[in-house]
Structures are given as C-alpha cells and as structure tokens.
Amino acid sequence: MKQIQILFLIFFGVNNTGFSQTAEDSVKAVINQLFNGMRNVDAESLKNVFAGSAILQTIRRNADGTFYVQNEAVNKFIESISKSKKDSLDERISFETIKTDGPLASAWTPYKFYYAGIFSHCGVNSFQLVRISGNWKIQYLIDIRRQGNCAN
C-alpha cells in the first residue's frame, strides 16, 4: 500500500503543473470571460472582469488620417453590449504576449471582429490587469481598429 501512495505522489504530486493554474492561465481566463460575455450578451459576466476604476479607450483615425484616443465608460460599454443579440458580437483573439509580475499583468491580443457572422474589423487589444483580492481584473484596455488590412 505504501508503494502505491509513493507512486501516486510521484505522478500526481502537489506541485504538478498539470493540475495548477498559472498566473498566465488566470489572465487568459479573465480576458476570455470578457469576450464570452460579449458573445453571450451577459452583463453580469462583463461587470465581473473589470476593476472598479477601469479605463477603456480606442485609438481611432480622423478623416485627415491623424489618430486620436476615444474614451468609453465601462458602464456605457456594458450597456451597449446588452442591447445586442446573443452571438452577434464575436471577437476572435489570439494571445501573443502575456507578462506578469506579482499583482500586475499585461496582455497583447491581436483580434478579428465579426458582427452577426460577417467580418467587421481587426486590430490589437492591449490589456493591463491587476490582481485584486486574489482575482485578476481588467484595469486598462486600449485597442486599435483597422478596416480591411489585418496585417499588423
């Protein structure tokens, strides 16, 4: 019996990374929760991913080609999502880079956005997350949106 316990500890030890979630995995889970909440038009899920003082911004282009930054309040963002039909908002991301240091995380996620199954635009999201009371929360999200040209 003792041999079985030793083998069990060797193969399924407490520190086996197969059973624990890394900080990077936890960051990905929160970001994925954001986009799942958008797809499912789930306001409560969206509220849960943001820190209380979160900042949302988008880099846009003027008609003359110059760029500017547009701010959006989190509650207005959630309200606009809530008015959509389920599964109409489909932002498909890839995780290019995730960095963590204690309670701070940064994620760079290129994306393609589809509305009602039709390609709309593409770009990159830049997330800053903080670990508050043991949970990752999005503190800052800025994105850039491009029409047509999806090459970075």
Side-chain angles (χ1 to χ4, degrees):
M1 181 67 172
K2 197 166 204 138
Q3 291 173 336
I4 292 173
Q5 288 174 332
I6 292 170
L7 286 173
F8 182 82
L9 288 173
I10 290 171
F11 289 109
F12 302 105
V14 174
N15 294 325
N16 187 329
T17 58
F19 293 100
S20 63
Q21 190 173 40
T22 66
E24 187 174 303
D25 291 335
S26 298
V27 167
K28 285 181 181 180
V30 170
I31 293 170
N32 283 327
Q33 182 180 342
L34 168 66
F35 296 115
N36 288 333
M38 287 172 57
R39 268 187 293 283
N40 293 319
V41 190
D42 182 349
E44 195 61 35
S45 181
L46 292 171
K47 287 177 191 173
N48 288 333
V49 299
F50 290 104
S53 59
I55 298 168
L56 299 179
Q57 296 181 318
T58 297
I59 301 170
R60 298 204 178 261
R61 186 186 299 253
N62 285 314
D64 66 2
T66 59
F67 292 101
Y68 68 99
V69 176
Q70 178 182 336
N71 296 307
E72 183 172 17
V74 172
N75 61 336
K76 294 291 184 189
F77 169 75
I78 293 171
E79 183 181 312
S80 70
I81 299 298
S82 297
K83 294 176 183 174
S84 299
K85 291 183 181 178
K86 186 176 180 189
D87 294 323
S88 65
L89 306 172
D90 184 13
E91 187 158 334
R92 302 174 191 176
I93 66 168
S94 60
F95 289 96
E96 190 171 291
T97 304
I98 296 178
K99 302 280 185 185
T100 63
D101 188 345
L104 175 66
S106 177
W108 185 265
T109 63
Y111 71 87
K112 291 183 180 174
F113 185 84
Y114 295 81
Y115 180 76
I118 299 170
F119 175 77
S120 171
H121 62 276
C122 58
V124 173
N125 300 307
S126 175
F127 291 90
Q128 297 296 310
L129 297 92
V130 292
R131 192 181 264 300
I132 300 171
S133 300
N135 297 306
W136 288 107
K137 300 289 183 177
I138 299 167
Q139 174 60 41
Y140 181 61
L141 170 56
I142 189 166
D143 71 86
I144 189 161
R145 301 173 189 180
R146 292 186 300 277
Q147 302 293 326
N149 180 9
C150 290
N152 289 341

Coordinates of all heavy atoms in Angstrom, one line a residue, residues 1 11 20 23-24 31 33 38-40 57 61 65-67 79 83 85 94-96 104 110 131 137 139-141 145:
M1 N 0.8 -1.2 0.0 CA 0.0 0.0 0.0 C 0.9 1.3 0.0 O 0.6 2.2 -0.7 CB -0.9 0.0 1.2 CG -1.8 1.1 1.3 SD -3.0 1.1 0.0 CE -4.1 2.3 0.5
F11 N 3.6 10.7 -9.5 CA 2.9 11.0 -10.7 C 1.9 12.2 -10.6 O 1.6 12.9 -11.5 CB 2.2 9.8 -11.3 CG 3.1 8.8 -11.8 CD1 3.3 7.6 -11.2 CD2 3.8 9.0 -13.0 CE1 4.2 6.6 -11.7 CE2 4.7 8.1 -13.5 CZ 4.9 6.9 -12.9
S20 N -2.4 22.7 -11.7 CA -2.5 24.1 -11.1 C -2.5 25.1 -12.2 O -2.0 24.9 -13.3 CB -1.2 24.4 -10.2 OG -0.1 24.4 -11.0
A23 N -0.4 32.0 -13.4 CA -0.9 33.4 -13.5 C -1.3 33.7 -14.9 O -2.3 34.4 -15.2 CB 0.2 34.4 -13.0
E24 N -0.5 33.2 -15.9 CA -0.8 33.5 -17.3 C -2.1 32.8 -17.7 O -3.0 33.5 -18.4 CB 0.3 32.9 -18.2 CG 0.2 33.2 -19.6 CD 1.4 32.8 -20.4 OE1 2.5 33.2 -20.1 OE2 1.2 32.0 -21.4
I31 N -9.7 37.4 -19.6 CA -9.8 38.0 -20.9 C -10.8 37.2 -21.8 O -11.7 37.8 -22.4 CB -8.5 38.2 -21.7 CG1 -7.6 39.2 -20.9 CG2 -8.7 38.5 -23.1 CD1 -6.2 39.3 -21.3
Q33 N -13.2 35.5 -20.5 CA -14.5 35.8 -19.9 C -15.2 37.0 -20.5 O -16.4 37.1 -20.7 CB -14.4 35.9 -18.4 CG -15.8 36.1 -17.7 CD -15.6 36.2 -16.2 OE1 -14.6 35.8 -15.6 NE2 -16.6 36.8 -15.6
M38 N -19.4 39.1 -24.0 CA -19.8 39.8 -25.2 C -20.7 38.9 -26.1 O -21.8 39.3 -26.5 CB -18.7 40.4 -26.0 CG -18.0 41.6 -25.3 SD -16.5 42.1 -26.1 CE -17.0 42.5 -27.8
R39 N -20.2 37.7 -26.4 CA -20.9 36.8 -27.3 C -22.3 36.4 -26.7 O -23.3 36.3 -27.4 CB -20.1 35.5 -27.5 CG -19.2 35.6 -28.8 CD -18.6 34.2 -29.0 NE -17.6 33.8 -28.1 CZ -16.4 34.3 -28.0 NH1 -16.0 35.2 -28.8 NH2 -15.5 33.9 -27.1
N40 N -22.3 36.2 -25.4 CA -23.5 35.8 -24.7 C -24.4 36.9 -24.2 O -25.4 36.7 -23.6 CB -23.1 34.9 -23.5 CG -22.5 33.6 -24.0 OD1 -23.0 33.0 -24.9 ND2 -21.5 33.1 -23.3
Q57 N -10.3 52.5 -23.7 CA -10.0 53.5 -24.8 C -9.9 52.8 -26.1 O -9.5 51.6 -26.2 CB -8.7 54.2 -24.5 CG -8.8 55.1 -23.2 CD -7.5 55.8 -22.9 OE1 -6.4 55.3 -23.0 NE2 -7.7 57.1 -22.5
R61 N -9.0 56.9 -36.1 CA -8.4 57.8 -37.2 C -9.4 58.8 -37.6 O -10.5 58.5 -38.0 CB -7.9 56.9 -38.3 CG -7.1 57.7 -39.3 CD -6.8 56.9 -40.6 NE -6.0 55.7 -40.2 CZ -4.7 55.6 -40.5 NH1 -4.0 56.6 -41.1 NH2 -4.0 54.5 -40.2
G65 N -6.6 61.4 -41.5 CA -5.6 60.4 -41.3 C -4.9 60.5 -39.9 O -4.1 59.6 -39.6
T66 N -5.1 61.5 -39.1 CA -4.5 61.6 -37.8 C -5.2 60.8 -36.8 O -6.4 60.5 -37.0 CB -4.5 63.1 -37.3 OG1 -5.8 63.6 -37.2 CG2 -3.6 64.0 -38.2
F67 N -4.5 60.3 -35.8 CA -5.1 59.5 -34.8 C -5.5 60.2 -33.6 O -4.9 61.3 -33.3 CB -4.1 58.4 -34.4 CG -3.8 57.4 -35.4 CD1 -2.6 57.5 -36.2 CD2 -4.7 56.3 -35.7 CE1 -2.4 56.6 -37.2 CE2 -4.4 55.4 -36.7 CZ -3.3 55.5 -37.4
E79 N -23.6 48.5 -21.3 CA -24.9 48.8 -21.7 C -25.1 48.6 -23.3 O -26.1 48.1 -23.7 CB -25.2 50.3 -21.4 CG -26.6 50.8 -21.7 CD -26.8 52.2 -21.4 OE1 -26.4 52.6 -20.2 OE2 -27.3 53.0 -22.2
K83 N -27.5 45.5 -25.5 CA -28.5 45.8 -26.5 C -28.3 44.9 -27.7 O -29.2 44.9 -28.6 CB -28.5 47.3 -26.9 CG -28.9 48.2 -25.8 CD -28.7 49.7 -26.2 CE -29.0 50.6 -25.0 NZ -28.8 52.0 -25.4
K85 N -27.8 41.2 -29.9 CA -28.3 39.9 -29.9 C -27.3 38.9 -29.6 O -26.1 39.1 -29.9 CB -28.9 39.5 -31.3 CG -30.1 40.3 -31.7 CD -30.6 39.9 -33.1 CE -31.8 40.7 -33.5 NZ -32.3 40.3 -34.8
S94 N -6.1 36.2 -30.4 CA -5.0 35.2 -30.1 C -4.2 35.9 -29.0 O -4.1 37.1 -29.0 CB -4.2 35.0 -31.4 OG -3.7 36.1 -31.9
F95 N -3.6 35.1 -28.2 CA -2.7 35.6 -27.1 C -1.3 35.7 -27.6 O -0.7 34.6 -27.8 CB -2.8 34.8 -25.9 CG -4.1 34.9 -25.2 CD1 -5.2 34.0 -25.4 CD2 -4.4 36.0 -24.3 CE1 -6.4 34.2 -24.8 CE2 -5.6 36.1 -23.6 CZ -6.6 35.2 -23.9
E96 N -0.8 36.9 -28.0 CA 0.5 37.0 -28.5 C 1.5 37.1 -27.4 O 2.6 36.4 -27.4 CB 0.6 38.2 -29.4 CG 1.9 38.3 -30.2 CD 1.9 39.4 -31.2 OE1 1.1 39.2 -32.2 OE2 2.6 40.4 -31.0
L104 N 0.4 42.5 -11.1 CA 0.3 43.3 -12.4 C 0.5 42.3 -13.6 O 1.4 41.5 -13.6 CB 1.4 44.4 -12.5 CG 1.5 45.2 -13.8 CD1 0.2 46.0 -14.0 CD2 2.7 46.0 -13.7
P110 N -3.9 40.3 -30.6 CA -4.5 40.6 -31.9 C -5.9 40.0 -32.0 O -6.2 39.0 -31.4 CB -3.5 40.0 -32.9 CG -2.2 39.8 -32.1 CD -2.7 39.6 -30.7
R131 N -4.3 42.2 -9.9 CA -4.9 41.1 -9.0 C -5.4 41.8 -7.8 O -4.7 42.4 -7.0 CB -3.8 40.1 -8.7 CG -4.4 38.9 -8.1 CD -3.4 37.8 -7.7 NE -3.1 36.8 -8.6 CZ -3.9 35.8 -9.0 NH1 -5.2 35.9 -8.7 NH2 -3.5 34.9 -9.8
K137 N -8.4 41.4 -12.6 CA -9.4 42.3 -13.1 C -8.8 43.2 -14.2 O -7.6 43.6 -14.0 CB -10.0 43.3 -12.0 CG -10.6 42.5 -10.8 CD -12.0 42.0 -11.3 CE -12.7 41.3 -10.1 NZ -14.0 40.8 -10.5
Q139 N -7.9 46.5 -15.6 CA -7.8 47.9 -15.2 C -7.8 48.8 -16.4 O -8.3 49.9 -16.3 CB -6.6 48.0 -14.3 CG -6.3 49.5 -13.9 CD -7.4 50.1 -13.1 OE1 -8.0 49.4 -12.2 NE2 -7.7 51.3 -13.4
Y140 N -7.2 48.4 -17.4 CA -7.0 49.3 -18.6 C -7.0 48.5 -19.9 O -6.4 47.4 -20.0 CB -5.6 50.0 -18.5 CG -5.3 51.0 -19.6 CD1 -6.2 52.1 -19.8 CD2 -4.2 50.8 -20.4 CE1 -5.9 53.0 -20.8 CE2 -3.9 51.7 -21.4 CZ -4.8 52.8 -21.6 OH -4.5 53.6 -22.7
L141 N -7.8 48.9 -20.8 CA -7.9 48.3 -22.1 C -8.0 49.3 -23.2 O -8.8 50.2 -23.1 CB -9.2 47.4 -22.2 CG -9.6 46.9 -23.5 CD1 -8.5 46.0 -24.2 CD2 -10.9 46.0 -23.4
R145 N -8.4 49.7 -34.1 CA -9.3 49.1 -35.1 C -8.9 49.4 -36.5 O -8.7 50.6 -36.8 CB -10.8 49.5 -34.8 CG -11.2 49.1 -33.4 CD -12.6 49.7 -33.1 NE -12.8 49.5 -31.6 CZ -13.9 49.8 -31.0 NH1 -14.8 50.4 -31.7 NH2 -14.0 49.6 -29.7

